[in-house]
Amino acid sequence: MGDRLYFSTPHLHINSNRSQDHRKISYDLICQEILPLINNDPSLNMRTIISHITKVYNYMPSYRKAWLAKTKVIEQVYDNWEELYKELPCYLHALRTYAPGTVYVLETLPAYAQNGTLISGTGIFRFQPCIRGFAFCKPIIQIDGTWLYGKCNGTLLMAVGQDGNINVFPIAFVLIEGETGGGWSFFLKNLRTHMSSQPGLCFISNKHTSIVSAYNNPASSWHDPPSTHVFYIRHIVQKFTREIKEKALRKWVMNAVYALTQPSFKHYRKEIRLSNPNAGRWIDNILVEKWTMSYDNGQRWGHMTTNLVESMNGVFKGIQNLPVTALVKSTYFKMA
């Protein structure tokens, strides 16, 4: 499949107008042309594909035609999308058997047709493979998610820590249907159960309502044994800038965030209040323990962002558009 496929189009009319599509530039033809490219790099974006086809044939295919072609090629390279859903439980079982220490959880929900009829034997699933070693890392966890695209819709959530050598340490992954309250609850509950049951953990995330709700849900067990939930500051500052709309105050907010002592924080907070009372009330609505360094009692270990988990998006570039089992396999081999 890695060999390039050559073909000829002796009757294809070449037009100097690159802005229009051509009926003979079918998505099957595009498939043949981009197969070697996708086989080498499945993360190839639509702009590159369209540009490549335009260069080769002097016609610009429609976005839909190029997207259908890429989807078909992904299926040719990695197998049928639907069949790989069925293969996933077997793969995870084999992974747990031959990679001791792996933990996975599959939760299925009934699937319904548009008319409300239950579809027998079909379900929506979520999973969470966990690995050992977090007990030897700093007691912090950063979480974030990245959207999946292609035919495999949903969200890939990740939990990441940091070891004593300041290395990024992936902890757990989960595929859910979207960043919903139920999805986050599933993730946090299983993360707590299988990976991070020790007391004194610092849990760092954005201020998303679903995350806060899932963390505070007693069923998730994040309060027994006790842990701390704090927010990463970029999200706080972005919300502040959007709602207060005074970019000049952004510097004062950042100074307040990174102030090393409480008197320093109070100085910057006073400056914000004097400059804009509404801005002062806005920041006072968030507990200082949640977003400042001077009030965190050292539980953050200096981590004011979720850069650790965000850096994983670069590692996983190219797998977000793969069929589900191929995505899981890629996740495992990239970590291994």
Side-chain angles (χ1 to χ4, degrees), residues 37-100:
L37 304 178
I38 297 297
N39 195 28
N40 182 58
D41 181 12
S43 68
L44 206 64
N45 60 44
M46 299 309 302
R47 179 181 297 179
T48 303
I49 291 174
I50 292 173
S51 176
H52 176 78
I53 298 301
T54 303
K55 181 179 180 180
V56 172
Y57 296 107
N58 216 31
Y59 278 93
M60 182 182 295
S62 67
Y63 186 95
R64 172 176 170 76
K65 190 180 290 185
W67 185 86
L68 289 173
K70 180 180 179 180
T71 301
K72 183 175 181 180
V73 171
I74 291 290
E75 186 169 299
Q76 290 176 2
V77 175
Y78 293 97
D79 208 347
N80 180 270
W81 294 79
E82 288 74 20
E83 289 300 317
L84 285 177
Y85 268 89
K86 299 177 183 178
E87 180 186 320
L88 181 61
C90 296
Y91 176 77
L92 291 177
H93 178 73
L95 187 62
R96 183 171 61 182
T97 301
Y98 295 102

Short mmCIF file of all heavy atoms in Angstrom, two decimals, residues 37-100:
data_model
loop_
_atom_site.label_atom_id
_atom_site.label_comp_id
_atom_site.label_asym_id
_atom_site.label_seq_id
_atom_site.Cartn_x
_atom_site.Cartn_y
_atom_site.Cartn_z
N LEU A 37 0.09 9.63 -0.35
CA LEU A 37 0.31 10.73 0.57
C LEU A 37 -0.31 10.44 1.93
O LEU A 37 0.32 10.65 2.97
CB LEU A 37 -0.31 12.02 0.00
CG LEU A 37 0.17 12.45 -1.40
CD1 LEU A 37 -0.57 13.71 -1.84
CD2 LEU A 37 1.68 12.67 -1.41
N ILE A 38 -1.56 9.93 1.94
CA ILE A 38 -2.23 9.61 3.19
C ILE A 38 -1.56 8.44 3.88
O ILE A 38 -1.46 8.39 5.11
CB ILE A 38 -3.72 9.31 2.94
CG1 ILE A 38 -4.42 10.55 2.37
CG2 ILE A 38 -4.41 8.85 4.23
CD1 ILE A 38 -4.43 11.73 3.30
N ASN A 39 -1.10 7.47 3.10
CA ASN A 39 -0.42 6.31 3.67
C ASN A 39 0.84 6.75 4.42
O ASN A 39 1.21 6.17 5.45
CB ASN A 39 -0.06 5.32 2.57
CG ASN A 39 0.32 3.95 3.12
OD1 ASN A 39 -0.15 3.55 4.18
ND2 ASN A 39 1.16 3.23 2.40
N ASN A 40 1.47 7.80 3.91
CA ASN A 40 2.69 8.31 4.55
C ASN A 40 2.38 9.26 5.70
O ASN A 40 3.10 9.29 6.70
CB ASN A 40 3.54 9.04 3.51
CG ASN A 40 4.85 9.56 4.07
OD1 ASN A 40 5.66 8.80 4.59
ND2 ASN A 40 5.05 10.87 3.98
N ASP A 41 1.27 10.03 5.59
CA ASP A 41 0.92 11.01 6.61
C ASP A 41 -0.60 11.16 6.68
O ASP A 41 -1.18 11.96 5.94
CB ASP A 41 1.57 12.36 6.28
CG ASP A 41 1.25 13.42 7.33
OD1 ASP A 41 0.73 13.06 8.41
OD2 ASP A 41 1.52 14.61 7.08
N PRO A 42 -1.27 10.42 7.58
CA PRO A 42 -2.73 10.50 7.67
C PRO A 42 -3.24 11.84 8.19
O PRO A 42 -4.44 12.11 8.13
CB PRO A 42 -3.08 9.37 8.65
CG PRO A 42 -1.85 9.16 9.45
CD PRO A 42 -0.71 9.43 8.52
N SER A 43 -2.34 12.69 8.69
CA SER A 43 -2.77 14.00 9.20
C SER A 43 -2.86 15.05 8.10
O SER A 43 -3.18 16.20 8.37
CB SER A 43 -1.80 14.50 10.28
OG SER A 43 -0.54 14.81 9.71
N LEU A 44 -2.61 14.66 6.87
CA LEU A 44 -2.64 15.59 5.75
C LEU A 44 -3.96 16.37 5.75
O LEU A 44 -5.03 15.78 5.72
CB LEU A 44 -2.48 14.82 4.43
CG LEU A 44 -1.88 15.56 3.25
CD1 LEU A 44 -0.45 15.98 3.55
CD2 LEU A 44 -1.92 14.69 2.00
N ASN A 45 -3.88 17.69 5.79
CA ASN A 45 -5.10 18.49 5.89
C ASN A 45 -5.74 18.71 4.53
O ASN A 45 -5.13 18.47 3.48
CB ASN A 45 -4.84 19.82 6.60
CG ASN A 45 -3.82 20.68 5.88
OD1 ASN A 45 -3.83 20.82 4.67
ND2 ASN A 45 -2.89 21.26 6.65
N MET A 46 -6.98 19.20 4.54
CA MET A 46 -7.74 19.34 3.31
C MET A 46 -7.13 20.39 2.40
O MET A 46 -7.17 20.26 1.17
CB MET A 46 -9.19 19.70 3.64
CG MET A 46 -9.92 18.66 4.48
SD MET A 46 -9.79 17.01 3.78
CE MET A 46 -10.50 17.28 2.17
N ARG A 47 -6.58 21.43 2.97
CA ARG A 47 -5.97 22.48 2.14
C ARG A 47 -4.82 21.91 1.32
O ARG A 47 -4.69 22.22 0.12
CB ARG A 47 -5.46 23.61 3.03
CG ARG A 47 -4.78 24.75 2.27
CD ARG A 47 -4.27 25.82 3.21
NE ARG A 47 -5.37 26.46 3.92
CZ ARG A 47 -5.19 27.42 4.81
NH1 ARG A 47 -3.96 27.83 5.10
NH2 ARG A 47 -6.24 27.96 5.42
N THR A 48 -4.00 21.05 1.93
CA THR A 48 -2.88 20.45 1.22
C THR A 48 -3.36 19.51 0.13
O THR A 48 -2.81 19.46 -0.97
CB THR A 48 -1.98 19.69 2.21
OG1 THR A 48 -1.54 20.59 3.23
CG2 THR A 48 -0.78 19.09 1.50
N ILE A 49 -4.40 18.73 0.43
CA ILE A 49 -4.95 17.79 -0.55
C ILE A 49 -5.50 18.55 -1.75
O ILE A 49 -5.22 18.21 -2.91
CB ILE A 49 -6.04 16.92 0.09
CG1 ILE A 49 -5.41 15.96 1.11
CG2 ILE A 49 -6.81 16.14 -0.97
CD1 ILE A 49 -6.41 15.16 1.91
N ILE A 50 -6.30 19.58 -1.49
CA ILE A 50 -6.89 20.36 -2.58
C ILE A 50 -5.80 21.04 -3.41
O ILE A 50 -5.85 21.07 -4.64
CB ILE A 50 -7.88 21.40 -2.01
CG1 ILE A 50 -9.10 20.68 -1.42
CG2 ILE A 50 -8.32 22.38 -3.10
CD1 ILE A 50 -10.06 21.60 -0.69
N SER A 51 -4.78 21.56 -2.73
CA SER A 51 -3.67 22.21 -3.43
C SER A 51 -2.93 21.21 -4.31
O SER A 51 -2.54 21.53 -5.44
CB SER A 51 -2.72 22.83 -2.41
OG SER A 51 -1.58 23.38 -3.04
N HIS A 52 -2.74 19.99 -3.80
CA HIS A 52 -2.03 18.96 -4.57
C HIS A 52 -2.81 18.59 -5.82
O HIS A 52 -2.24 18.51 -6.92
CB HIS A 52 -1.81 17.73 -3.69
CG HIS A 52 -1.17 16.58 -4.42
ND1 HIS A 52 0.19 16.54 -4.69
CD2 HIS A 52 -1.70 15.43 -4.94
CE1 HIS A 52 0.48 15.42 -5.34
NE2 HIS A 52 -0.66 14.73 -5.50
N ILE A 53 -4.11 18.36 -5.68
CA ILE A 53 -4.93 17.99 -6.83
C ILE A 53 -4.98 19.12 -7.85
O ILE A 53 -4.91 18.90 -9.07
CB ILE A 53 -6.36 17.61 -6.37
CG1 ILE A 53 -6.32 16.39 -5.45
CG2 ILE A 53 -7.25 17.32 -7.57
CD1 ILE A 53 -5.69 15.15 -6.07
N THR A 54 -5.08 20.35 -7.37
CA THR A 54 -5.10 21.50 -8.26
C THR A 54 -3.80 21.60 -9.05
O THR A 54 -3.80 21.89 -10.26
CB THR A 54 -5.32 22.79 -7.46
OG1 THR A 54 -6.53 22.69 -6.71
CG2 THR A 54 -5.41 24.00 -8.39
N LYS A 55 -2.69 21.32 -8.41
CA LYS A 55 -1.39 21.39 -9.07
C LYS A 55 -1.24 20.30 -10.13
O LYS A 55 -0.71 20.53 -11.21
CB LYS A 55 -0.28 21.27 -8.02
CG LYS A 55 1.13 21.35 -8.59
CD LYS A 55 2.17 21.25 -7.48
CE LYS A 55 3.58 21.34 -8.05
NZ LYS A 55 4.61 21.25 -6.98
N VAL A 56 -1.75 19.09 -9.81
CA VAL A 56 -1.59 17.97 -10.73
C VAL A 56 -2.52 18.10 -11.93
O VAL A 56 -2.12 17.87 -13.08
CB VAL A 56 -1.84 16.64 -9.99
CG1 VAL A 56 -1.87 15.47 -10.98
CG2 VAL A 56 -0.77 16.41 -8.93
N TYR A 57 -3.79 18.50 -11.71
CA TYR A 57 -4.79 18.47 -12.77
C TYR A 57 -5.25 19.86 -13.23
O TYR A 57 -6.05 19.97 -14.16
CB TYR A 57 -6.01 17.67 -12.31
CG TYR A 57 -5.69 16.23 -12.05
CD1 TYR A 57 -5.63 15.74 -10.75
CD2 TYR A 57 -5.41 15.35 -13.10
CE1 TYR A 57 -5.31 14.42 -10.50
CE2 TYR A 57 -5.10 14.03 -12.86
CZ TYR A 57 -5.04 13.57 -11.56
OH TYR A 57 -4.72 12.25 -11.32
N ASN A 58 -4.74 20.89 -12.58
CA ASN A 58 -5.08 22.26 -12.96
C ASN A 58 -6.55 22.59 -12.73
O ASN A 58 -7.08 23.54 -13.30
CB ASN A 58 -4.72 22.53 -14.42
CG ASN A 58 -4.22 23.95 -14.62
OD1 ASN A 58 -3.62 24.53 -13.73
ND2 ASN A 58 -4.48 24.51 -15.79
N TYR A 59 -7.22 21.78 -11.92
CA TYR A 59 -8.59 22.05 -11.50
C TYR A 59 -8.67 21.92 -9.98
O TYR A 59 -8.02 21.06 -9.39
CB TYR A 59 -9.58 21.06 -12.12
CG TYR A 59 -9.99 21.40 -13.54
CD1 TYR A 59 -9.31 20.87 -14.62
CD2 TYR A 59 -11.04 22.29 -13.77
CE1 TYR A 59 -9.67 21.19 -15.92
CE2 TYR A 59 -11.40 22.62 -15.07
CZ TYR A 59 -10.71 22.07 -16.14
OH TYR A 59 -11.08 22.39 -17.42
N MET A 60 -9.48 22.77 -9.38
CA MET A 60 -9.63 22.75 -7.93
C MET A 60 -10.87 21.95 -7.55
O MET A 60 -12.00 22.38 -7.84
CB MET A 60 -9.74 24.17 -7.37
CG MET A 60 -9.86 24.22 -5.85
SD MET A 60 -10.05 25.91 -5.22
CE MET A 60 -8.46 26.60 -5.68
N PRO A 61 -10.69 20.80 -6.88
CA PRO A 61 -11.86 20.00 -6.48
C PRO A 61 -12.61 20.68 -5.34
O PRO A 61 -12.04 21.49 -4.60
CB PRO A 61 -11.24 18.68 -6.02
CG PRO A 61 -9.89 19.05 -5.54
CD PRO A 61 -9.43 20.18 -6.44
N SER A 62 -13.86 20.35 -5.20
CA SER A 62 -14.64 20.89 -4.09
C SER A 62 -14.14 20.30 -2.78
O SER A 62 -13.54 19.22 -2.74
CB SER A 62 -16.12 20.57 -4.26
OG SER A 62 -16.34 19.16 -4.15
N TYR A 63 -14.40 21.03 -1.71
CA TYR A 63 -13.99 20.54 -0.39
C TYR A 63 -14.65 19.20 -0.08
O TYR A 63 -13.99 18.28 0.43
CB TYR A 63 -14.36 21.58 0.68
CG TYR A 63 -13.86 21.24 2.07
CD1 TYR A 63 -12.65 21.76 2.55
CD2 TYR A 63 -14.58 20.39 2.91
CE1 TYR A 63 -12.19 21.45 3.81
CE2 TYR A 63 -14.13 20.07 4.18
CZ TYR A 63 -12.93 20.61 4.62
OH TYR A 63 -12.48 20.28 5.87
N ARG A 64 -15.93 19.08 -0.38
CA ARG A 64 -16.66 17.84 -0.10
C ARG A 64 -16.06 16.66 -0.84
O ARG A 64 -15.87 15.58 -0.29
CB ARG A 64 -18.14 18.00 -0.47
CG ARG A 64 -18.93 16.70 -0.37
CD ARG A 64 -20.40 16.91 -0.66
NE ARG A 64 -21.11 15.64 -0.79
CZ ARG A 64 -21.44 14.87 0.24
NH1 ARG A 64 -21.15 15.25 1.46
NH2 ARG A 64 -22.09 13.74 0.04
N LYS A 65 -15.73 16.88 -2.11
CA LYS A 65 -15.17 15.79 -2.91
C LYS A 65 -13.81 15.36 -2.35
O LYS A 65 -13.51 14.16 -2.25
CB LYS A 65 -15.02 16.25 -4.36
CG LYS A 65 -14.66 15.13 -5.34
CD LYS A 65 -14.53 15.67 -6.75
CE LYS A 65 -15.87 16.09 -7.31
NZ LYS A 65 -15.75 16.50 -8.74
N ALA A 66 -13.00 16.32 -1.98
CA ALA A 66 -11.69 15.99 -1.41
C ALA A 66 -11.84 15.29 -0.06
O ALA A 66 -11.10 14.35 0.26
CB ALA A 66 -10.85 17.26 -1.26
N TRP A 67 -12.83 15.75 0.76
CA TRP A 67 -13.04 15.13 2.08
C TRP A 67 -13.51 13.68 1.93
O TRP A 67 -13.04 12.79 2.64
CB TRP A 67 -14.08 15.93 2.86
CG TRP A 67 -14.29 15.43 4.26
CD1 TRP A 67 -13.57 15.78 5.37
CD2 TRP A 67 -15.27 14.47 4.70
NE1 TRP A 67 -14.05 15.10 6.47
CE2 TRP A 67 -15.08 14.29 6.09
CE3 TRP A 67 -16.27 13.75 4.06
CZ2 TRP A 67 -15.86 13.42 6.85
CZ3 TRP A 67 -17.05 12.88 4.80
CH2 TRP A 67 -16.85 12.73 6.18
N LEU A 68 -14.43 13.43 0.99
CA LEU A 68 -14.89 12.06 0.75
C LEU A 68 -13.75 11.17 0.29
O LEU A 68 -13.65 10.01 0.69
CB LEU A 68 -16.01 12.07 -0.31
CG LEU A 68 -17.35 12.65 0.13
CD1 LEU A 68 -18.29 12.75 -1.07
CD2 LEU A 68 -17.99 11.78 1.22
N ALA A 69 -12.88 11.73 -0.55
CA ALA A 69 -11.73 10.96 -1.03
C ALA A 69 -10.79 10.60 0.11
O ALA A 69 -10.33 9.46 0.22
CB ALA A 69 -10.99 11.75 -2.10
N LYS A 70 -10.51 11.56 0.97
CA LYS A 70 -9.62 11.28 2.09
C LYS A 70 -10.23 10.24 3.03
O LYS A 70 -9.53 9.34 3.50
CB LYS A 70 -9.33 12.57 2.87
CG LYS A 70 -8.39 12.34 4.06
CD LYS A 70 -8.09 13.60 4.82
CE LYS A 70 -7.18 13.31 6.00
NZ LYS A 70 -6.85 14.52 6.79
N THR A 71 -11.53 10.34 3.29
CA THR A 71 -12.20 9.37 4.15
C THR A 71 -12.11 7.97 3.58
O THR A 71 -11.87 7.00 4.31
CB THR A 71 -13.68 9.76 4.33
OG1 THR A 71 -13.76 11.07 4.90
CG2 THR A 71 -14.39 8.79 5.25
N LYS A 72 -12.29 7.86 2.27
CA LYS A 72 -12.21 6.55 1.63
C LYS A 72 -10.80 5.98 1.69
O LYS A 72 -10.60 4.79 1.94
CB LYS A 72 -12.66 6.65 0.18
CG LYS A 72 -12.67 5.31 -0.56
CD LYS A 72 -13.23 5.44 -1.96
CE LYS A 72 -13.23 4.07 -2.66
NZ LYS A 72 -13.79 4.16 -4.04
N VAL A 73 -9.79 6.85 1.49
CA VAL A 73 -8.40 6.39 1.55
C VAL A 73 -8.05 5.94 2.96
O VAL A 73 -7.36 4.92 3.15
CB VAL A 73 -7.45 7.51 1.07
CG1 VAL A 73 -6.00 7.12 1.35
CG2 VAL A 73 -7.65 7.77 -0.41
N ILE A 74 -8.49 6.69 3.98
CA ILE A 74 -8.25 6.28 5.36
C ILE A 74 -8.81 4.89 5.59
O ILE A 74 -8.18 4.04 6.25
CB ILE A 74 -8.90 7.29 6.34
CG1 ILE A 74 -8.17 8.64 6.31
CG2 ILE A 74 -8.92 6.74 7.76
CD1 ILE A 74 -6.79 8.63 6.91
N GLU A 75 -9.98 4.61 5.04
CA GLU A 75 -10.60 3.29 5.20
C GLU A 75 -9.80 2.23 4.47
O GLU A 75 -9.65 1.10 4.95
CB GLU A 75 -12.03 3.33 4.66
CG GLU A 75 -12.82 2.05 4.90
CD GLU A 75 -14.28 2.21 4.60
OE1 GLU A 75 -14.94 3.05 5.25
OE2 GLU A 75 -14.78 1.48 3.71
N GLN A 76 -9.26 2.56 3.30
CA GLN A 76 -8.44 1.60 2.56
C GLN A 76 -7.17 1.25 3.32
O GLN A 76 -6.72 0.10 3.33
CB GLN A 76 -8.10 2.17 1.18
CG GLN A 76 -9.27 2.27 0.22
CD GLN A 76 -8.90 2.93 -1.09
OE1 GLN A 76 -7.73 3.29 -1.30
NE2 GLN A 76 -9.87 3.10 -1.98
N VAL A 77 -6.59 2.25 3.95
CA VAL A 77 -5.33 2.04 4.66
C VAL A 77 -5.54 1.36 6.00
O VAL A 77 -4.79 0.45 6.37
CB VAL A 77 -4.60 3.39 4.87
CG1 VAL A 77 -3.35 3.21 5.72
CG2 VAL A 77 -4.25 4.02 3.52
N TYR A 78 -6.60 1.76 6.74
CA TYR A 78 -6.77 1.30 8.12
C TYR A 78 -7.95 0.37 8.34
O TYR A 78 -8.21 -0.02 9.46
CB TYR A 78 -6.94 2.51 9.05
CG TYR A 78 -5.69 3.34 9.15
CD1 TYR A 78 -5.52 4.49 8.38
CD2 TYR A 78 -4.65 2.97 10.00
CE1 TYR A 78 -4.37 5.25 8.47
CE2 TYR A 78 -3.50 3.72 10.09
CZ TYR A 78 -3.36 4.87 9.32
OH TYR A 78 -2.22 5.62 9.41
N ASP A 79 -8.69 0.03 7.30
CA ASP A 79 -9.84 -0.87 7.37
C ASP A 79 -11.13 -0.07 7.59
O ASP A 79 -11.11 1.12 7.86
CB ASP A 79 -9.68 -1.92 8.47
CG ASP A 79 -10.45 -3.21 8.14
OD1 ASP A 79 -11.29 -3.19 7.22
OD2 ASP A 79 -10.21 -4.23 8.80
N ASN A 80 -12.25 -0.79 7.50
CA ASN A 80 -13.57 -0.20 7.57
C ASN A 80 -13.83 0.46 8.91
O ASN A 80 -13.51 -0.09 9.96
CB ASN A 80 -14.61 -1.29 7.30
CG ASN A 80 -16.02 -0.78 7.36
OD1 ASN A 80 -16.63 -0.78 8.41
ND2 ASN A 80 -16.53 -0.33 6.22
N TRP A 81 -14.45 1.66 8.89
CA TRP A 81 -14.70 2.42 10.11
C TRP A 81 -15.58 1.66 11.08
O TRP A 81 -15.28 1.55 12.28
CB TRP A 81 -15.37 3.76 9.77
CG TRP A 81 -14.51 4.69 8.99
CD1 TRP A 81 -14.27 4.65 7.65
CD2 TRP A 81 -13.75 5.80 9.49
NE1 TRP A 81 -13.42 5.66 7.28
CE2 TRP A 81 -13.10 6.38 8.38
CE3 TRP A 81 -13.58 6.36 10.75
CZ2 TRP A 81 -12.28 7.50 8.51
CZ3 TRP A 81 -12.77 7.47 10.88
CH2 TRP A 81 -12.12 8.03 9.78
N GLU A 82 -16.68 1.10 10.57
CA GLU A 82 -17.62 0.40 11.44
C GLU A 82 -17.03 -0.90 11.98
O GLU A 82 -17.24 -1.26 13.15
CB GLU A 82 -18.93 0.12 10.69
CG GLU A 82 -19.79 1.35 10.44
CD GLU A 82 -19.22 2.25 9.35
OE1 GLU A 82 -18.39 1.75 8.54
OE2 GLU A 82 -19.58 3.43 9.30
N GLU A 83 -16.31 -1.62 11.14
CA GLU A 83 -15.73 -2.90 11.58
C GLU A 83 -14.70 -2.68 12.69
O GLU A 83 -14.55 -3.51 13.59
CB GLU A 83 -15.08 -3.62 10.40
CG GLU A 83 -16.07 -4.19 9.40
CD GLU A 83 -17.01 -5.19 10.03
OE1 GLU A 83 -16.54 -6.03 10.82
OE2 GLU A 83 -18.22 -5.13 9.74
N LEU A 84 -13.99 -1.57 12.64
CA LEU A 84 -12.98 -1.31 13.66
C LEU A 84 -13.62 -0.98 15.01
O LEU A 84 -12.99 -1.15 16.05
CB LEU A 84 -12.06 -0.18 13.22
CG LEU A 84 -11.04 -0.58 12.15
CD1 LEU A 84 -10.22 0.60 11.70
CD2 LEU A 84 -10.14 -1.70 12.64
N TYR A 85 -14.86 -0.50 15.01
CA TYR A 85 -15.58 -0.33 16.27
C TYR A 85 -15.79 -1.70 16.92
O TYR A 85 -15.64 -1.87 18.13
CB TYR A 85 -16.93 0.35 16.05
CG TYR A 85 -16.88 1.85 16.18
CD1 TYR A 85 -16.59 2.65 15.08
CD2 TYR A 85 -17.12 2.47 17.39
CE1 TYR A 85 -16.55 4.04 15.19
CE2 TYR A 85 -17.07 3.84 17.52
CZ TYR A 85 -16.79 4.62 16.41
OH TYR A 85 -16.74 5.99 16.54
N LYS A 86 -16.15 -2.69 16.10
CA LYS A 86 -16.39 -4.03 16.62
C LYS A 86 -15.10 -4.68 17.11
O LYS A 86 -15.10 -5.51 18.01
CB LYS A 86 -17.03 -4.90 15.54
CG LYS A 86 -18.37 -4.39 15.04
CD LYS A 86 -18.91 -5.26 13.90
CE LYS A 86 -20.21 -4.70 13.35
NZ LYS A 86 -20.72 -5.51 12.21
N GLU A 87 -13.99 -4.30 16.50
CA GLU A 87 -12.70 -4.91 16.84
C GLU A 87 -12.11 -4.37 18.14
O GLU A 87 -11.29 -5.02 18.79
CB GLU A 87 -11.71 -4.66 15.69
CG GLU A 87 -10.33 -5.24 15.90
CD GLU A 87 -9.39 -4.83 14.79
OE1 GLU A 87 -9.83 -4.80 13.62
OE2 GLU A 87 -8.22 -4.52 15.09
N LEU A 88 -12.54 -3.18 18.55
CA LEU A 88 -11.92 -2.51 19.69
C LEU A 88 -11.91 -3.33 20.97
O LEU A 88 -10.87 -3.44 21.62
CB LEU A 88 -12.58 -1.15 19.93
CG LEU A 88 -12.00 -0.34 21.08
CD1 LEU A 88 -10.53 -0.01 20.82
CD2 LEU A 88 -12.79 0.94 21.31
N PRO A 89 -13.04 -3.94 21.41
CA PRO A 89 -12.99 -4.72 22.66
C PRO A 89 -11.95 -5.83 22.62
O PRO A 89 -11.26 -6.09 23.61
CB PRO A 89 -14.41 -5.28 22.78
CG PRO A 89 -15.25 -4.31 22.02
CD PRO A 89 -14.41 -3.88 20.86
N CYS A 90 -11.83 -6.51 21.48
CA CYS A 90 -10.84 -7.59 21.35
C CYS A 90 -9.42 -7.04 21.46
O CYS A 90 -8.56 -7.64 22.11
CB CYS A 90 -11.02 -8.32 20.02
SG CYS A 90 -12.59 -9.18 19.86
N TYR A 91 -9.21 -5.88 20.84
CA TYR A 91 -7.87 -5.29 20.89
C TYR A 91 -7.51 -4.87 22.32
O TYR A 91 -6.39 -5.12 22.79
CB TYR A 91 -7.79 -4.08 19.96
CG TYR A 91 -6.46 -3.37 20.07
CD1 TYR A 91 -5.33 -3.89 19.46
CD2 TYR A 91 -6.33 -2.19 20.81
CE1 TYR A 91 -4.10 -3.26 19.58
CE2 TYR A 91 -5.12 -1.56 20.93
CZ TYR A 91 -4.00 -2.09 20.32
OH TYR A 91 -2.78 -1.48 20.45
N LEU A 92 -8.45 -4.26 23.01
CA LEU A 92 -8.18 -3.83 24.38
C LEU A 92 -7.93 -5.02 25.30
O LEU A 92 -7.08 -4.96 26.19
CB LEU A 92 -9.34 -2.99 24.90
CG LEU A 92 -9.53 -1.62 24.25
CD1 LEU A 92 -10.76 -0.93 24.82
CD2 LEU A 92 -8.30 -0.75 24.43
N HIS A 93 -8.69 -6.11 25.08
CA HIS A 93 -8.47 -7.31 25.88
C HIS A 93 -7.07 -7.88 25.63
O HIS A 93 -6.37 -8.28 26.57
CB HIS A 93 -9.53 -8.36 25.55
CG HIS A 93 -9.36 -9.65 26.31
ND1 HIS A 93 -9.64 -9.77 27.65
CD2 HIS A 93 -8.89 -10.87 25.90
CE1 HIS A 93 -9.38 -11.01 28.04
NE2 HIS A 93 -8.92 -11.69 27.00
N ALA A 94 -6.65 -7.90 24.37
CA ALA A 94 -5.31 -8.38 24.05
C ALA A 94 -4.25 -7.48 24.65
O ALA A 94 -3.22 -7.94 25.16
CB ALA A 94 -5.15 -8.47 22.53
N LEU A 95 -4.50 -6.16 24.62
CA LEU A 95 -3.55 -5.22 25.18
C LEU A 95 -3.38 -5.44 26.68
O LEU A 95 -2.26 -5.43 27.21
CB LEU A 95 -4.03 -3.79 24.92
CG LEU A 95 -3.08 -2.65 25.30
CD1 LEU A 95 -1.80 -2.74 24.50
CD2 LEU A 95 -3.76 -1.31 25.06
N ARG A 96 -4.49 -5.67 27.37
CA ARG A 96 -4.41 -5.93 28.81
C ARG A 96 -3.71 -7.25 29.09
O ARG A 96 -2.97 -7.39 30.08
CB ARG A 96 -5.81 -5.94 29.41
CG ARG A 96 -5.82 -6.12 30.93
CD ARG A 96 -7.19 -5.92 31.52
NE ARG A 96 -8.15 -6.88 30.99
CZ ARG A 96 -9.44 -6.89 31.32
NH1 ARG A 96 -9.91 -5.97 32.15
NH2 ARG A 96 -10.26 -7.76 30.82
N THR A 97 -3.90 -8.24 28.22
CA THR A 97 -3.28 -9.55 28.42
C THR A 97 -1.77 -9.51 28.22
O THR A 97 -1.01 -10.07 29.01
CB THR A 97 -3.90 -10.58 27.44
OG1 THR A 97 -5.32 -10.65 27.67
CG2 THR A 97 -3.28 -11.96 27.64
N TYR A 98 -1.33 -8.81 27.16
CA TYR A 98 0.08 -8.84 26.81
C TYR A 98 0.86 -7.60 27.26
O TYR A 98 2.08 -7.55 27.10
CB TYR A 98 0.22 -9.01 25.29
CG TYR A 98 -0.30 -10.34 24.81
CD1 TYR A 98 -1.54 -10.44 24.20
CD2 TYR A 98 0.45 -11.51 25.00
CE1 TYR A 98 -2.04 -11.67 23.77
CE2 TYR A 98 -0.03 -12.74 24.58
CZ TYR A 98 -1.28 -12.82 23.97
OH TYR A 98 -1.76 -14.05 23.55
N ALA A 99 0.17 -6.63 27.83
CA ALA A 99 0.84 -5.46 28.41
C ALA A 99 0.35 -5.30 29.85
O ALA A 99 -0.52 -4.48 30.14
CB ALA A 99 0.55 -4.21 27.60
N PRO A 100 0.87 -6.12 30.76
CA PRO A 100 0.40 -6.09 32.15
C PRO A 100 0.47 -4.69 32.74
O PRO A 100 1.41 -3.95 32.50
CB PRO A 100 1.38 -7.04 32.86
CG PRO A 100 1.88 -7.96 31.79
CD PRO A 100 1.94 -7.11 30.55
#
